């Protein structure tokens, strides 16, 4: 429940009312101020200042300044007059009613303002789209006009070239067929040719029209080829073979250990190879056919691997853990112990892989597997440090320390890694 603030001060002039509200800089994080024409509120948790004004004010002109230890309200009066008091004397139901009315009015104004902004934004968007369409239309008009001008220019040049070419060809044909001087007179329909008589210098004959000769395409000549005729004759006399009859072929395969055909393999060499592989697997200590029933238990394989690890037989321990994983790949202790064995042998990448698998299998995370998870994370951090990734190793070791805050060894490892990373920060 908020604490109402009563220790405020106020002064007034004919136009303005100034209210000063002290606040504690320690007891508040955010100040919410709400001012309307009849009601003003300032909320700074856990304190609340509210006042129901005696007369109406102009909330749009009013202002608020929030400082570290003071809230200053400047309220402009709508009518220039001296107020007898700052707030009205109202009962609690009347105050609640005024609050509801003020809240409803402010919500309506906010909704209206938001709707006006939305309409204005829609209009601006439409105007922008229309302007863009107008610009595109003008660009298309300019491009169409340029294209039409270029086309008209090209067509005009083509017509001029065709007219000049036709005129020159007509003159050539006439000069070749008629060995008389020619006189050309321009005419709307074409060229007018006048023939002059060479026997009389004074008499002239009437001009006669000579039609231009008609250009006919040359007749097509059929080219005969002996090779083409022979090929056609050969194709006509060719006899096609009959269609093949359908049949079924049954193939039976001999079961074999190797996926190679019998004609490409040697059975004796394969048998020797299988025997050598069996002997090699037996040398490591685990062949499924030779194991007793109790040796098919993943927990027995874990215990056997732990025994090998304590005796320093790391390869035998890895074989035991690996065989246990082949029997059941859901036991996280097999991966965790094999990761420790890989770390002892210097196989740091395999150690990180087994640690990650073990952590993934320790789900859900609970108090029962907290120590095991911490050990896996710490071992993965140590492997990261050995491969030179100190920055990531420090983060992993800190995560392990969060799981085991009472372990001083992890804290010492973090300190040593940070000192090493400071000396060589580019190690990762």
């Amino acid at each position: 429940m908020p604490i109402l603030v009563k220790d405020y001060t106020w002064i007034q002039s004919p136009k303005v009312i100034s209210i000063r509200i002290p606040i504690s800089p320690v007891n508040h994080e955010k100040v919410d101020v709400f001012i309307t024409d009849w009601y003003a509120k300032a909320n700074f948790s856990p304190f609340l200042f509210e006042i129901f004004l005696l007369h109406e004010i102009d909330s749009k002109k009013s202002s608020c300044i929030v400082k570290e230890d003071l809230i200053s309200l400047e309220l402009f009066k709508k009518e220039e007059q001296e107020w007898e008091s700052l707030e009205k004397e109202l009962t609690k139901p009347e105050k609640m009613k005024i609050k509801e009315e003020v809240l409803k009015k402010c919500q309506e104004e906010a909704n209206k303002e938001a709707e006006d902004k939305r309409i204005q934004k829609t209009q601006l968007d439409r105007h922008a789209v229309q302007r863009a369409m107008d610009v595109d239309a003008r660009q298309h008009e300019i491009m169409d006009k340029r294209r039409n001008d270029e086309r008209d220019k090209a067509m005009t040049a083509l017509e001029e070239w065709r007219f000049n070419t036709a005129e020159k060809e007509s003159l050539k044909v006439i000069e070749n067929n008629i060995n008389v001087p020619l006189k050309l007179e321009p005419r709307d329909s074409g060229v007018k040719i006048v023939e002059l008589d060479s026997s009389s210098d004074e008499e002239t004959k009437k001009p006669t029209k000579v039609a231009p000769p008609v250009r006919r395409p040359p007749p097509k000549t059929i080219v005969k080829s002996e090779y083409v005729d022979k090929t056609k004759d050969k194709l006509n006399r060719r006899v096609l073979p009959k269609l093949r009859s359908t049949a079924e072929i049954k193939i039976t395969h001999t079961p074999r250990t190797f996926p190679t055909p019998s004609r490409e393999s040697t059975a004796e060499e394969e048998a020797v190879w299988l025997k050598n592989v069996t002997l090699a697997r037996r040398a490591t200590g685990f062949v499924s056919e030779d194991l007793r029933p109790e040796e098919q238990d993943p927990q027995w394989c874990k215990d056997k691997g732990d025994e090998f690890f304590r005796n320093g037989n790391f390869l035998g321990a890895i074989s035991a853990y690996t065989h246990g994983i082949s029997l059941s790949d859901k036991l996280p202790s097999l991966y965790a112990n094999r990761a420790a064995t890989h770390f002892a042998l210097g196989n740091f990448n395999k150690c990180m892989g087994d640690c990650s698998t073990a952590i993934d299998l320790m789900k859900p995370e609970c108090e029962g597997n907290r120590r095991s998870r911490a050990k896996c994370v710490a071992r993965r951090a140590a492997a990261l440090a050995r491969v030179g990734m100190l920055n990531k190793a420090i983060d992993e070791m800190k995560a392990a320390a969060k799981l085991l805050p009472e372990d001083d060894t992890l804290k010492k490892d973090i300190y040593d890694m940070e000192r090493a990373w400071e000396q060589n920060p580019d190690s990762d």
Side-chain angles (χ1 to χ4, degrees), residues 247-251:
E248 293 183 358
I249 299 176
K250 294 183 179 180
I251 299 174

Side-chain angles (χ1 to χ4, degrees), residues 328-339:
S328 175
D329 58 352
K330 302 300 182 181
L331 194 61
S333 58
L334 290 172
Y335 290 99
N337 293 1
R338 191 174 69 172

Side-chain angles (χ1 to χ4, degrees), residues 2-58:
I3 302 173
L4 296 178
V5 177
K6 298 296 184 180
D7 56 342
Y8 63 89
T9 59
W10 69 285
I11 58 175
Q12 67 172 329
S13 66
K15 294 183 179 181
V16 182
I17 291 178
S18 298
I19 303 176
R20 302 291 183 267
I21 308 165
I23 60 176
S24 174
V26 179
N27 296 331
H28 75 281
E29 297 180 356
K30 187 175 71 171
V31 178
D32 294 329
V33 180
F34 179 67
I35 301 175
T36 62
D37 295 343
W38 294 96
Y39 174 74
K41 181 182 76 170
N43 182 17
F44 47 98
S45 180
F47 300 98
L48 174 65
F49 167 77
E50 65 176 357
I51 188 169
F52 297 87
L53 300 170
L54 182 63
H55 297 291
E56 190 175 6
I57 63 170
D58 192 347

Side-chain angles (χ1 to χ4, degrees), residues 6 79 83 98 140 259 265 329 374:
K6 298 296 184 180
E79 296 180 1
W83 291 10
I98 292 176
H140 285 299
S265 65
D329 58 352

Side-chain angles (χ1 to χ4, degrees), residues 150-371:
E150 293 295 332
R151 183 183 61 195
D152 295 341
K153 189 186 295 184
M155 293 300 295
T156 303
L158 180 62
E159 289 296 331
E160 291 179 358
W161 176 81
R162 289 176 59 186
F163 178 76
N164 295 332
T165 304
E167 185 177 359
K168 289 179 181 179
E169 290 180 355
S170 299
L171 290 175
K172 279 184 180 180
V173 171
I174 294 171
E175 288 179 357
N176 291 332
N177 296 333
I178 304 174
N179 296 324
V180 295
L182 300 177
K183 182 178 180 182
L184 302 178
E185 293 184 2
R187 196 175 178 184
D188 295 340
S189 61
V191 180
K192 183 179 179 182
I193 303 174
V194 180
E195 182 179 355
L196 300 178
D197 190 3
S198 58
S199 61
S200 176
D201 298 333
E202 297 179 356
E203 295 181 359
T204 60
K205 294 183 179 180
K206 294 183 180 180
T208 59
K209 293 183 180 179
V210 179
V214 179
R215 301 182 65 183
R216 296 179 180 177
K220 295 182 179 180
T221 57
I222 299 175
V223 179
K224 293 185 178 181
S225 174
E226 295 180 359
Y227 175 75
V228 174
D229 296 339
K230 289 181 180 179
T231 304
K232 289 182 178 180
D233 186 35
K234 186 177 180 181
L235 291 175
N236 293 330
R237 290 185 288 102
R238 183 179 59 178
V239 178
L240 297 177
K242 295 182 179 180
L243 295 177
R244 296 179 181 177
S245 58
T246 59
E248 293 183 358
I249 299 176
K250 294 183 179 180
I251 299 174
T252 57
H253 298 280
T254 304
R256 296 181 56 77
T257 305
F258 291 91
T260 55
S262 177
R263 63 180 179 277
E264 297 179 5
S265 65
T266 55
E268 295 181 0
E269 286 80 353
E270 291 175 5
V272 171
W273 186 86
L274 290 174
K275 182 178 179 181
N276 293 335
V277 170
T278 305
L279 293 176
R281 292 179 62 189
R282 285 176 179 169
T284 59
F286 298 100
V287 177
S288 300
E289 295 82 0
D290 299 337
L291 292 177
R292 298 188 302 273
E294 63 271 13
E295 293 173 346
Q296 298 286 349
D297 184 7
Q299 186 62 37
W300 182 91
C301 294
K302 175 187 172 300
D303 297 338
K304 196 68 176 178
D306 295 343
E307 182 181 353
F308 288 155
F309 184 83
R310 287 191 296 270
N311 295 331
N313 185 5
F314 298 131
L315 293 178
I318 289 178
S319 298
Y321 295 138
T322 303
H323 182 68
I325 290 172
S326 65
L327 297 176
S328 175
D329 58 352
K330 302 300 182 181
L331 194 61
S333 58
L334 290 172
Y335 290 99
N337 293 1
R338 191 174 69 172
T341 310
H342 280 306
F343 187 86
L345 290 173
N347 302 329
F348 301 116
N349 290 324
K350 293 182 179 180
C351 174
M352 288 186 283
D354 283 346
C355 287
S356 301
T357 306
I359 293 171
D360 292 338
L361 291 175
M362 294 179 189
K363 299 292 178 64
E365 299 175 355
C366 59
E367 182 63 24
N369 58 21
R370 177 173 62 86
R371 183 169 294 276

